[in-house]
């Protein structure tokens, strides 16, 4: 039988190793366990990231305490930093990512770690985009793309290309914008990704051709993206609605633009963590309200967004809002306010050409209103010159985009042929690798089985040795003194005691209590009925000490058979003793002590409540070593819970929450709890 078991184990281990030999990264068993744990946590966090970002952070903080593998720890740090991007806390994102980069020289380079690096560089690129620094974003996106190529999650490559395209779009390089969007489409097809993954590319191309003022192509791609609207997440829906609204803004259909911008505003208003998006959409709404003469609504939107972007020092957005406030003041007839906004506003470095055009137009309106036609004509000429320059630049961009598209298609065909050739070479190489791997696996598995058998044998011998030592110790302890003999002597002496009957009864009760205490403490678990009888005996002994007004009650819910329910020894007696000692002794007035046993879920709930001074954790915490009984009880519960993987005992000490002062101890014990160690 032992030989058959060893052979079965040998075969099982061989199968597991064969399945795992596809991975090129070699990690020790603890690291693999940690990586798997982080993988599952990442999925859970991603699901709750937009709906409840605080919950996501709490999950990661709890996990950081558990992981021991350093690379798993820093994977969690990277994920923790990502949660702050959702709430627009960009400094925190960069702070936690900096910790991961500092760990980089110590990290073991592998495909999974490359995934982490790709993710943090991609996220930092997103941060720079939010702060209107597209050049910095492009550098980080390029790093993210390189690491992703060396990682396991190639399906993220299209997303990085989309981000790269968006960065080039904001820097005004529309040719590279279209190029990266088309590269993303190619990657989606090459990786056999679903059509659903392409909609960000579609609305990105829609925005690109909108900037090139090719509204026919722009509308075509926006319509393609709109087919997938119901399957988008919150951030993707917001991006689509905002870009679609911009399309109608540029074709001067302001009412249709307002419809999409309002939908985007309603969407992000329901997600309190999307603070940046809420204020971004208010800027667009404010401008549309100015153009449609809804001046009060425009004032509200622009004021709210101005406060937010001033606080985070987003100078480009602040500059644009101040530009809109110039026109808003002119429409309200407040020339003083318009003059104030003009004096306050100053160039902030790189500005979008469309933003400069709008500002020139509003400054022209201002000088016309104050009668300074010379300056008004100057800004009119600037606007026309800029418009001519933009049109010329767009023509050049269109030519460059067409040329890049042609060259990209040619490169794609060459790459496809090269990929097919490499696939054949890889298949031949894999066949020879599999043969050598199989031989190595057989040797490794044989060694593992021998080591495992020798280790099991050593553990068995060591366990038997300790059992013998413990048995000898117990026998030695019992041989030193017989507690039962001592109790018998005490009982005879008390019977001959000539004092008062009350003192004699108390002494007999004490002997009975000590004898029962010894019997219970020798056992790991006892029937609940025995535990409660022991508690009643203890309460009877303590009544005189507690004083007048002491009202103890012990109740058991109907239908519960206390004789068949097993509980850890002293699980009720120790909380009752603490309640009398720390809560009720020395208290004036009525003193209440209630022990209640009730059914809860798949177990029994025991509560011990008093109306004493209440629970003071900083004073009476068992974990701080101030209560011996509770400390032993905690250690016993931890030992038992370690052996019960599913159902566990729960032990809580809190202040009462029913309007009364006092302490409440709650113990939940599953019916099927095992006390076999």
């Amino acid at each position: 039988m032992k030989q058959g078991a060893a052979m079965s184990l040998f075969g099982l281990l061989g199968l597991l190793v064969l399945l795992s030999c596809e991975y090129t990264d070699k990690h020790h068993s603890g690291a693999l366990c940690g990586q798997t744990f982080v993988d599952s946590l990442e999925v859970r966090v991603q699901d709750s990231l937009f709906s409840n970002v605080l919950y996501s952070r709490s999950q990661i903080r709890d996990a950081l305490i558990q992981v021991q593998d350093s690379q798993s720890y820093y994977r969690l740090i990277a994920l923790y930093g990502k949660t702050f991007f959702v709430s627009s806390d960009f400094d925190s994102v960069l702070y936690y990512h900096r910790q991961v980069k500092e760990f980089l020289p110590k990290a073991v380079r592998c495909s999974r770690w490359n995934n982490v690096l790709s993710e943090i560089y991609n996220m930092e690129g997103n941060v720079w985009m939010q702060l209107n620094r597209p050049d910095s974003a492009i550098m980080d996106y390029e790093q993210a793309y390189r690491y992703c190529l060396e990682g396991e999650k190639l399906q993220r490559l299209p997303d990085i290309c989309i981000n790269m395209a968006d960065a080039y779009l904001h820097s005004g390089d529309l040719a590279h914008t279209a190029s990266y969007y088309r590269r993303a489409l190619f990657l989606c097809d090459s990786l056999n990704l679903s059509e659903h993954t392409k909609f960000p590319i579609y609305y990105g191309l829609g925005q690109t051709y909108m900037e090139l003022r090719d509204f026919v192509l722009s509308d075509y791609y926006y319509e393609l993206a709109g087919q997938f609207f119901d399957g988008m997440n919150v951030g993707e829906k917001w991006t689509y609605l905002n870009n679609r609204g911009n399309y109608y803004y540029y074709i001067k259909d302001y009412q249709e633009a307002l419809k999409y911008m309002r939908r985007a505003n309603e969407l992000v208003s329901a997600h309190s963590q999307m603070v940046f998006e809420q204020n971004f959409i208010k800027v667009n709404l404010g401008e549309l309200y100015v153009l449609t003469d809804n001046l009060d609504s425009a004032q509200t939107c622009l004021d709210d967004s101005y406060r937010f972007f001033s606080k985070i020092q987003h100078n480009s957005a602040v500059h644009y809002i101040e530009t809109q406030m110039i026109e808003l003041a002119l429409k309200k007839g407040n020339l003083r306010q318009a003059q104030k906004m003009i004096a306050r506003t100053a160039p902030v470095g790189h500005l979008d050409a469309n933003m400069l055009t709008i500002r020139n137009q509003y400054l022209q309106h201002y000088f016309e209103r104050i009668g300074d036609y010379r300056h008004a004509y100057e800004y009119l000429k600037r606007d026309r010159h800029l418009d001519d320059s933009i049109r010329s630049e767009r023509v050049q961009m269109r030519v460059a985009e067409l040329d890049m598209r042609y060259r990209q298609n040619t490169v794609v065909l060459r790459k496809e042929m090269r990929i097919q050739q490499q696939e054949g070479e890889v298949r031949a190489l894999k066949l020879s690798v599999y043969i050598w791997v199989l031989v190595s696996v057989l040797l490794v598995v044989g060694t593992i089985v021998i080591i495992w058998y020798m280790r099991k044998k050593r553990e068995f011998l060591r366990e038997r040795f300790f059992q013998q030592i413990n048995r000898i110790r117990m026998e030695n302890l019992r041989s030193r003194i017989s507690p039962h003999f001592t109790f018998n002597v005490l009982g005879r002496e008390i019977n001959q005691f000539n004092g008062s009957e009350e003192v004699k009864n108390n002494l007999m009760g004490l002997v009975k209590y000590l004898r029962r205490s010894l019997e219970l403490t020798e056992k790991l678990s006892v029937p609940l009925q025995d535990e409660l009888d022991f508690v009643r005996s203890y309460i009877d002994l303590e009544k005189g000490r507690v004083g007048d007004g002491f009202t103890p009650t012990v109740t058991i819910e109907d239908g519960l058979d206390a004789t068949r329910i097993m509980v850890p020894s002293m699980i009720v007696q120790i909380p009752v003793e603490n309640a009398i000692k720390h809560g009720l002794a020395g208290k004036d007035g009525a003193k209440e002590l209630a022990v209640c046993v009730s059914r809860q879920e798949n177990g029994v709930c025991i509560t011990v409540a008093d109306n004493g001074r209440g629970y003071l954790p900083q004073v009476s915490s068992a974990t701080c070593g101030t209560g011996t009984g509770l400390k032993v009880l905690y250690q016993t519960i931890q030992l038992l819970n370690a052996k019960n993987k599913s159902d566990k005992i729960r032990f809580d000490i809190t202040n009462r929450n029913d309007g009364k002062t006092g302490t409440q101890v709650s113990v939940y014990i599953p019916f099927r709890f095992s006390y076999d160690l």
Side-chain angles (χ1 to χ4, degrees):
M1 289 180 66
K2 290 183 177 178
Q3 276 187 336
M7 290 302 294
S8 299
L9 181 62
F10 187 94
L12 178 60
L13 288 172
L15 177 60
L16 290 174
V17 177
L18 280 173
L19 290 174
S20 64
C21 72
E22 292 293 329
Y23 291 92
T24 58
D25 304 301
K26 306 297 182 181
H27 305 290
H28 54 77
S29 59
L32 281 174
C33 181
Q35 298 287 8
T36 304
F37 170 72
V38 176
D39 288 340
S40 61
L41 177 66
E42 189 172 10
V43 174
R44 296 198 305 274
V45 168
Q46 196 67 37
D47 292 339
S48 60
L49 193 57
F50 286 94
S51 59
N52 193 342
V53 68
L54 296 179
Y55 172 70
S56 298
R57 287 178 192 160
S58 68
Q59 282 190 305
I60 299 172
R61 284 196 296 269
D62 293 342
L64 283 169
I65 302 173
Q66 301 178 37
V67 296
Q68 297 179 352
D69 175 47
S70 57
Q71 295 204 185
S72 298
Y73 177 85
Y74 282 98
R75 277 190 67 194
L76 288 174
I77 289 292
L79 186 60
Y80 192 61
K82 182 178 180 179
T83 65
F84 288 95
F85 182 82
V86 177
S87 55
S88 302
D89 187 354
F90 303 133
D91 289 339
S92 295
V93 177
L94 298 175
Y95 169 76
Y96 288 108
H97 284 181
R98 193 180 305 117
Q99 293 186 28
V100 181
K101 291 179 181 177
E102 289 172 355
F103 173 71
L104 186 57
K106 304 176 185 177
V108 178
R109 292 298 297 273
C110 61
S111 56
R112 187 168 296 193
W113 183 244
N114 288 331
N115 294 339
V116 177
L117 296 176
S118 175
E119 183 69 22
I120 66 171
Y121 277 107
N122 186 56
M123 185 56 60
E124 286 189 8
N126 293 341
V127 169
W128 298 131
M129 286 299 297
Q130 297 284 25
L131 298 177
N132 196 33
R133 293 173 59 180
D135 293 338
S136 298
I138 289 171
M139 293 172 60
D140 277 333
Y141 288 144
E142 288 174 347
Q143 285 280 74
Y145 190 87
R146 283 194 289 270
Y147 281 119
C148 191
L149 283 174
E150 299 173 0
E152 296 173 335
K153 299 182 179 181
L154 296 178
Q155 65 273 19
R156 289 182 178 175
L157 286 171
D159 292 333
I160 299 174
C161 286
I162 292 171
N163 291 341
M164 191 92 74
D166 189 49
Y168 276 114
L169 177 66
H170 281 76
S171 63
D173 191 343
L174 299 177
H176 278 90
T177 301
S179 172
Y180 275 101
Y181 277 131
R182 294 187 180 280
R183 182 186 294 187
L185 278 176
F186 164 70
L187 289 169
C188 287
D189 293 334
S190 300
L191 297 170
N192 295 319
L193 301 181
S194 66
E195 285 294 316
H196 180 269
T197 60
K198 297 180 181 179
F199 69 81
I201 306 172
Y202 292 146
Y203 63 58
L205 285 169
Q207 184 178 8
T208 304
Y209 287 110
M210 178 183 69
E211 294 292 335
L212 290 171
R213 298 302 185 262
D214 188 341
F215 294 115
V216 175
L217 266 179
S218 177
D219 185 62
Y220 168 74
Y221 283 113
Y222 276 133
E223 288 297 318
L224 283 179
Q227 297 174 9
F228 302 93
F229 184 80
D230 293 336
M232 300 179 188
N233 63 34
V234 177
E236 292 163 346
K237 286 181 178 179
W238 178 84
T239 303
Y240 172 77
L241 293 172
N242 179 69
N243 290 350
R244 194 59 163 143
N246 283 335
Y247 166 83
Y248 286 106
Y249 165 81
Y250 282 118
I251 65 173
K252 301 190 184 306
D253 188 347
Y254 299 134
Q255 293 301 327
E256 194 68 17
L258 270 173
K259 183 178 76 172
Y260 280 96
M261 294 298 180
R262 284 168 177 160
R263 285 178 62 189
N265 186 46
E266 291 172 2
L267 180 70
V268 294
S269 296
H271 296 81
S272 58
Q273 71 273 21
M274 300 181 71
V275 182
F276 186 91
E277 290 80 0
Q278 291 171 7
N279 286 277
F280 187 92
I281 207 67
K282 284 180 181 179
V283 178
N284 290 341
L285 279 171
E287 181 177 6
L288 288 169
Y289 285 138
V290 169
L291 293 171
T292 55
D293 295 327
N294 294 320
L295 304 184
D296 291 338
S297 298
Q299 189 73 60
T300 301
C301 290
L302 293 176
D303 287 345
D304 289 347
S305 57
Y306 188 76
R307 282 191 293 270
F308 172 77
F309 286 111
S310 297
K311 182 179 179 180
I312 68 171
Q313 298 181 346
H314 196 306
N315 295 330
S316 178
V318 170
H319 181 89
Y320 190 62
I321 296 169
E322 289 173 341
T323 299
Q324 294 301 321
M325 286 181 170
I326 296 172
E327 183 70 4
L328 177 61
L330 290 176
K331 289 201 171 187
K332 286 186 173 183
N334 191 344
L335 295 178
R336 183 184 298 273
Q337 179 65 18
Q339 185 180 15
K340 179 180 176 182
M341 299 311 299
I342 293 171
R344 179 188 301 177
T345 308
V348 291
H350 172 75
L351 289 174
D352 183 77
N354 294 320
M355 192 182 300
L356 292 173
T357 299
I358 293 170
R359 182 172 179 80
N360 288 337
Q361 292 174 357
Y362 291 168
L363 289 174
Q364 177 190 340
H365 296 168
Y366 168 76
F367 286 114
E368 287 175 350
R369 290 288 298 274
I370 65 174
D372 189 347
Y373 296 107
R374 185 176 66 82
H375 278 93
Y377 179 68
E378 180 65 29
Y379 279 103
L380 175 63
K381 287 196 300 181
R382 289 186 187 181
D383 186 43
R384 288 179 177 176
H385 176 74
L386 183 60
D387 189 52
D388 291 340
S389 175
I390 292 173
R391 279 200 300 269
S392 174
E393 185 178 354
R394 285 184 183 135
V395 170
Q396 294 176 11
M397 286 290 181
R398 288 289 301 276
V399 173
E401 191 271 333
L402 289 171
D403 178 62
M404 194 168 291
R405 189 192 313 177
Y406 169 76
R407 286 189 288 107
Q408 186 179 40
N409 291 340
T410 305
V411 171
V412 166
L413 290 174
R414 291 175 181 172
K415 283 185 177 180
E416 288 177 345
M417 294 176 63
R418 179 61 180 165
I419 288 172
Q420 291 176 356
Q421 181 181 355
Q422 289 177 344
E423 285 176 349
E425 295 173 355
V426 168
R427 281 194 294 269
L429 181 61
K430 279 184 178 180
L431 182 60
S432 61
V433 169
Y434 286 155
I435 295 173
W436 284 107
V437 167
L438 181 59
V439 173
S440 302
V441 164
L442 292 175
L443 292 173
V444 170
V445 170
T447 305
I448 290 173
V449 169
I450 294 172
I451 294 173
W452 173 82
Y453 174 78
M454 297 301 294
R455 182 177 296 174
K456 282 292 183 183
K457 187 175 181 180
R458 285 198 304 271
E459 289 176 356
F460 171 78
L461 294 174
R462 184 172 57 184
E463 185 176 354
R464 188 171 64 181
F465 174 72
F466 282 125
Q467 287 175 351
Q468 292 172 347
I469 290 177
N470 288 332
R471 185 171 65 252
I472 293 170
R473 284 176 177 172
M474 291 300 297
E475 290 173 357
N476 185 37
L477 181 63
R478 287 167 181 159
S479 67
R480 291 180 183 178
I481 185 169
S482 173
H484 296 288
F485 173 77
T486 303
F487 295 146
N488 291 335
V489 173
L490 284 173
R492 287 196 302 270
E493 293 296 323
I494 291 169
N495 285 329
Q496 298 173 9
F497 180 72
N498 295 324
S500 66
E501 192 66 25
E502 181 181 358
V503 173
K504 183 177 181 179
N505 290 336
N506 286 340
L507 288 174
M508 288 300 293
L510 176 61
V511 171
K512 179 183 176 182
Y513 174 80
L514 291 173
R515 187 189 298 275
R516 188 60 177 157
S517 174
L518 179 63
E519 293 173 357
L520 291 178
T521 52
E522 288 178 346
K523 300 177 181 179
L524 189 59
S525 63
V526 296
L528 177 59
Q529 185 65 50
D530 292 352
E531 178 74 10
L532 294 178
D533 290 343
F534 180 54
V535 168
R536 291 188 183 98
S537 299
Y538 173 74
I539 292 174
D540 291 339
L541 285 173
E542 290 292 323
K543 279 184 178 179
R545 175 190 171 194
V546 177
D548 297 334
F550 179 44
T551 308
T553 59
V554 179
T555 58
I556 304 176
E557 181 180 328
D558 294 340
L560 287 176
D561 187 357
T563 62
R564 302 182 64 180
I565 299 173
M566 300 301 293
V567 299
S569 177
M570 311 297 281
I571 193 76
V572 183
Q573 196 275 335
I574 290 175
V576 168
E577 181 180 345
N578 284 342
I580 292 174
K581 179 180 178 181
H582 300 294
L584 300 179
K587 180 181 184 296
D588 297 330
K591 308 173 186 67
E592 299 175 2
L593 175 64
V595 180
C596 179
V597 182
S598 60
R599 184 186 298 272
Q600 178 178 327
E601 298 175 356
N602 297 320
V604 62
C605 180
I606 305 170
T607 59
V608 179
D610 64 69
N611 66 337
R613 62 179 59 89
Y615 177 51
L616 302 174
Q618 67 273 22
V619 176
S620 59
S621 174
T623 58
C624 295
T626 59
T628 303
L630 278 179
K631 183 186 293 184
V632 172
L633 198 55
Y634 272 115
Q635 292 173 349
T636 303
I637 291 172
Q638 289 176 355
L639 180 64
L640 291 170
N641 281 340
K643 294 294 183 179
N644 289 265
K645 300 303 182 183
S646 56
D647 295 331
K648 297 182 183 295
I649 294 176
R650 297 195 297 269
F651 187 93
D652 298 304
I653 305 177
T654 60
N655 286 307
R656 294 177 64 170
N657 57 3
D658 55 358
K660 296 182 179 180
T661 304
T663 303
Q664 176 172 303
V665 178
S666 299
V667 185
Y668 168 75
I669 304 172
F671 286 132
R672 297 183 178 181
F673 196 80
S674 173
Y675 298 91
D676 183 12
L677 295 180

